[in-house]
Amino acid sequence: MRESLFAECAERPLAEVGVSAVARRAGVGRATFYLHYEDLTALAVDACADVVHAAVDALHAWQTDPGALPPVRPPAALAEFLGGVAGRAPLYRTLLLPGGGGPLGERLYRELRARSRAERAAVGAPRPDLVASAVAAVFTGVLADWLHGEFPADLADPAELAERVWPLLGALHRAG
């Protein structure tokens, strides 16, 4: 059903996609759809869960030494992640609202905060809760605003955005 949703959303916005179209494309009945999902938004958030995991992994790709501060340059995985997100931007914009709200934003925030907090706590870094909340909020908000075109054209490129957001995240780690 996930792939069917992606295929439908490649043809039209999520708001114009129906449960029947997704179920038909997936080769299942509507009843089967509703056994697994409450509505299309629930399917969409589930289908986009991989992007949340990819974001968390991309932001932590630099960590080879627990307790080390982030490097000056962002990991290549961050720009790669942003490039992949841009390919499904219309769907992500529906689920990740400006400022980082929406069902996908809430999930990204929770998972990023949990991982950041766990990693900081594991190495005894100061203020794991505070720093984890700040990092999760900043990245979720920046990603959402970028997807919604809230930044100048010079930040439209995923690699450039990675270069600009990375120092902000590093400063939060150092401030803790």
Side-chain angles (χ1 to χ4, degrees), residues 3 10 16 41 68 74 84 90 101 107-109 129 135 147 153 158 162 165 173:
E3 290 306 315
E16 296 176 15
T41 300
R107 187 168 184 166
L108 175 58
Y109 174 85
D129 292 317
V135 167
L147 285 170
V165 75
H173 275 279

Side-chain angles (χ1 to χ4, degrees), residues 102-125:
L104 191 60
E106 291 167 11
R107 187 168 184 166
L108 175 58
Y109 174 85
R110 277 193 320 269
E111 290 191 26
L112 184 53
R113 184 186 187 283
R115 175 126 170 226
S116 293
R117 190 209 174 285
E119 289 179 357
R120 288 186 66 80
V123 297

Side-chain angles (χ1 to χ4, degrees), residues 51-109:
V51 79
V52 170
H53 303 305
V56 172
D57 289 344
L59 287 172
H60 293 89
W62 61 273
Q63 290 184 310
T64 55
D65 176 19
L69 289 175
V72 174
R73 301 291 312 269
L78 181 56
E80 291 168 15
F81 162 75
L82 292 169
V85 166
R88 287 202 174 128
L91 176 59
Y92 297 143
R93 278 193 294 270
T94 302
L95 303 169
L96 182 59
L97 304 176
L104 191 60
E106 291 167 11
R107 187 168 184 166
L108 175 58
Y109 174 85

